[in-house]
Amino acid sequence: MTYFNKNMPSGVFKWRGANKWLLMLLLISSNQLIAKDINLATAINLMLKENPSLKIFELRKRSLDGAQYTAGLNPEIEMGLEAENFLGSNPYTAFDQSELTVSVSSVIELGGKKDARKNFASTKYGLLDAQRKINSLDLISELTDSFIDALATQERIKLAEESVRLSEDIYESVKRKAKAGAISDVEVKRSFASLKQAQLTLKGEQSKLERQSVNLSLYWSEKQPQFSHLSGELFDFGVVKEIGQLHQNLEKSILIQALTMNQRLAESTLAVVQAESKADVNWSLGVRRIEESNDAALTAGFSIPLFKRKRNKGDLMEVEAEIDSSRAEQQIALLELYGQVNEFYSLRQAAIEKFNVLENEIIPALTHALELTKEAYLDGRYGYLEYSAARADLIQSKKSLIDTAQSILNYGVQLERITAEPIYNDTAQTQGGDS
């Protein structure tokens, strides 16, 4: 694009400061126009960067960093001061007979307690990562469903505009016949009411899209949408993998991985409890000052708690039960996922069959029927009710086509949420669904 020409008259365009700002504004405006369309991939990227619920996991990771640091610390060393034989009755009224002991003490951990604690903290990182992935996957699924719903509303707006045009056509035809005295004013009023109803439907769909756009932008923390149009193909469904392939992916599902991490966390807890069952050695070492003889001597001691394993038996039983429970939960969850995959896969296939019948048989037949009914109405062979019913049937079938396409895509989103992997074959993408 050429913004100026050196051969232009001097009064037409001069390259000066004010015009530089004008050019910048034009470029900015151009970029804003480009940004008015948004596709699903852009929406997901914005959400992953800006959604506050995902930032919580970074804070939780920082908390785990602190727990990991603490788990790697050795037992603390304590310093003690002990005084004996002072401020009593004769001959202990002063400090002449006192004994002062300065000592240090600590614990020698046995049974690999430190390693068990560190392993427990490390396992929490894996669980946190699995939870973050599940949260991200749920948000992506919710955003995708919302995007599909808004995309369907865009198509319904187009259909509502078509309905308004058809209603206007019928209204004009009715008015012409009424003016010629061929029909009564009752049909004019009916066609006028039908037109107004179509216009109300259009306004309702437009208002719905505005609400959906706001809800979409909230996913990436924008209170007002910076886009005006959604870019996407509502009627392009792709080809889904065979159901056997989807079943194979279930054991790798992030949902199962999270349950596996719960089991590993319980196993790490068991290792900590088992390590705690090993008694530690408490030791102390000090120097004692004896004032009466003006002498000093070393002191040393150690102690071991008795029956430590017996006292931890209840904790061991509790954690072992948690491990068995985690294994059972994995098996139950896997069966539930199999059932969900079967259900959504079957619903999607049935919806695709319905879509194909609507698109290839019902809508073409109703379109032809509307044309024939219009001709018959203008010739006086059909009345207004037949003409209006033919229009309504066609519009309703096209609306059903949009609703069915929306359901097909929503079922695909649920399948991807369950398997946590792409469900579509990279090759063999067909327009209008599975073949």
Side-chain angles (χ1 to χ4, degrees):
M1 181 181 293
T2 301
Y3 290 102
F4 71 97
N5 190 312
K6 64 181 181 180
N7 295 321
M8 286 182 178
S10 59
V12 175
F13 196 103
K14 291 186 178 180
W15 186 256
R16 295 191 177 180
N19 289 325
K20 290 181 181 180
W21 286 110
L22 176 61
L23 178 59
M24 290 177 66
L25 288 173
L26 288 172
L27 292 173
I28 292 172
S29 299
S30 176
N31 289 335
Q32 287 177 342
L33 288 172
I34 294 173
K36 284 186 177 180
D37 278 13
I38 187 170
N39 58 29
L40 179 58
T42 301
I44 291 175
N45 288 333
L46 286 170
M47 182 196 68
L48 293 177
K49 290 179 182 177
E50 302 298 336
N51 194 286
S53 64
L54 297 177
K55 297 178 181 179
I56 292 175
F57 289 93
E58 186 60 32
L59 299 176
R60 292 179 183 173
K61 181 180 178 298
R62 286 165 54 187
S63 176
L64 286 182
D65 291 340
Q68 178 81 342
Y69 174 80
T70 302
L73 294 177
N74 292 318
E76 60 184 6
I77 297 176
E78 297 181 357
M79 182 175 182
L81 176 63
E82 183 179 356
E84 297 180 3
N85 303 330
F86 68 98
L87 298 180
S89 58
N90 283 330
Y92 305 107
T93 56
F95 287 89
D96 294 340
Q97 305 294 325
S98 66
E99 296 179 3
L100 297 176
T101 304
V102 179
S103 64
V104 292
S105 62
S106 187
V107 176
I108 300 175
E109 290 186 320
L110 302 177
K113 292 182 177 63
K114 180 178 177 180
D115 290 339
R117 290 195 305 268
K118 291 172 65 177
N119 184 59
F120 178 75
S122 296
T123 306
K124 282 188 172 181
Y125 281 105
L127 180 59
L128 179 66
D129 185 59
Q131 291 172 341
R132 181 187 60 79
K133 289 179 181 178
I134 289 175
N135 189 270
S136 300
L137 186 61
D138 287 343
L139 278 174
I140 290 173
S141 298
E142 291 175 12
L143 171 61
T144 304
D145 275 335
S146 298
F147 193 94
I148 291 170
D149 294 346
L151 204 60
T153 302
Q154 279 190 170
E155 291 298 326
R156 292 191 190 96
I157 288 174
K158 296 177 184 177
L159 179 61
E161 291 171 343
E162 179 184 350
S163 179
V164 169
R165 288 194 297 270
L166 287 173
S167 297
E168 288 173 342
D169 186 32
I170 293 176
Y171 180 55
E172 293 300 325
S173 299
V174 170
K175 283 198 303 181
R176 284 195 299 270
K177 293 192 70 173
K179 189 175 182 180
I183 58 174
S184 67
D185 289 340
V186 174
E187 292 189 6
V188 177
K189 294 183 183 299
R190 284 178 175 175
S191 62
F192 176 77
S194 179
L195 172 59
K196 289 301 177 182
Q197 184 62 48
Q199 291 172 344
L200 286 175
T201 299
L202 174 59
K203 289 181 180 179
E205 294 294 347
Q206 290 170 337
S207 177
K208 182 179 179 181
L209 182 61
E210 290 176 2
R211 296 192 302 272
Q212 290 174 327
S213 297
V214 172
N215 291 334
L216 272 175
S217 64
L218 290 176
Y219 277 100
W220 50 88
S221 302
E222 284 184 358
K223 296 179 181 178
Q224 292 297 327
Q226 302 299 312
F227 59 90
S228 60
H229 184 266
L230 302 180
S231 177
E233 293 294 334
L234 185 68
F235 303 115
D236 187 2
F237 313 134
V239 180
V240 170
K241 298 174 183 176
E242 295 295 330
I243 193 168
Q245 292 178 278
L246 299 181
H247 284 161
Q248 291 175 0
N249 294 335
L250 285 182
E251 293 185 2
K252 305 178 200 174
S253 168
I254 188 62
L255 302 174
I256 298 299
Q257 290 179 26
L259 291 174
T260 301
M261 292 308 303
N262 274 326
Q263 178 186 332
R264 290 179 183 173
L265 187 63
E267 291 170 349
S268 298
T269 304
L270 177 62
V272 172
V273 174
Q274 289 173 335
E276 292 292 340
S277 298
K278 301 289 181 67
D280 296 331
V281 176
N282 300 291
W283 61 268
S284 64
L285 182 65
V287 177
R288 177 170 294 173
R289 168 74 177 178
I290 304 171
E291 290 294 331
E292 182 180 12
S293 61
N294 199 27
D295 292 324
L298 291 176
T299 63
F302 71 93
S303 64
I304 300 177
L306 300 177
F307 312 114
K308 184 75 171 178
R309 179 176 292 275
K310 186 176 181 180
R311 294 180 64 86
N312 275 14
K313 186 175 181 180
D315 293 338
L316 287 169
M317 294 172 61
E318 181 181 354
V319 176
E320 287 171 352
E322 289 180 3
I323 293 174
D324 293 338
S325 176
S326 296
R327 290 171 180 160
E329 286 176 0
Q330 285 184 53
Q331 295 174 353
I332 294 171
L334 192 57
L335 291 175
E336 289 178 351
L337 293 181
Y338 270 98
Q340 290 175 12
V341 166
N342 287 333
E343 180 179 6
F344 287 120
Y345 193 90
S346 176
L347 288 171
R348 185 179 183 277
Q349 292 299 106
I352 286 177
E353 291 178 8
K354 178 181 178 180
F355 180 91
N356 289 333
V357 172
L358 282 166
E359 183 182 43
N360 300 322
E361 299 179 34
I362 295 177
I363 291 177
L366 290 175
T367 301
H368 189 215
L370 178 61
E371 294 172 355
L372 295 176
T373 304
K374 180 180 180 180
E375 292 176 3
Y377 175 76
L378 295 176
D379 291 343
R381 289 180 286 119
Y382 278 173
Y384 167 75
L385 291 179
E386 288 83 2
Y387 191 8
S388 178
R391 179 200 67 84
D393 289 343
L394 177 60
I395 294 299
Q396 183 58 41
S397 294
K398 288 187 175 182
K399 181 179 181 300
S400 181
L401 186 77
I402 295 172
D403 294 343
T404 304
Q406 179 181 354
S407 297
I408 293 169
L409 294 180
N410 287 143
Y411 292 145
V413 172
Q414 294 306 313
L415 286 172
E416 288 199 331
R417 182 186 64 81
I418 295 168
T419 59
E421 287 190 1
I423 63 170
Y424 299 97
N425 287 321
D426 293 333
T427 57
Q429 294 270 330
T430 60
Q431 181 75 20
D434 296 351
S435 57

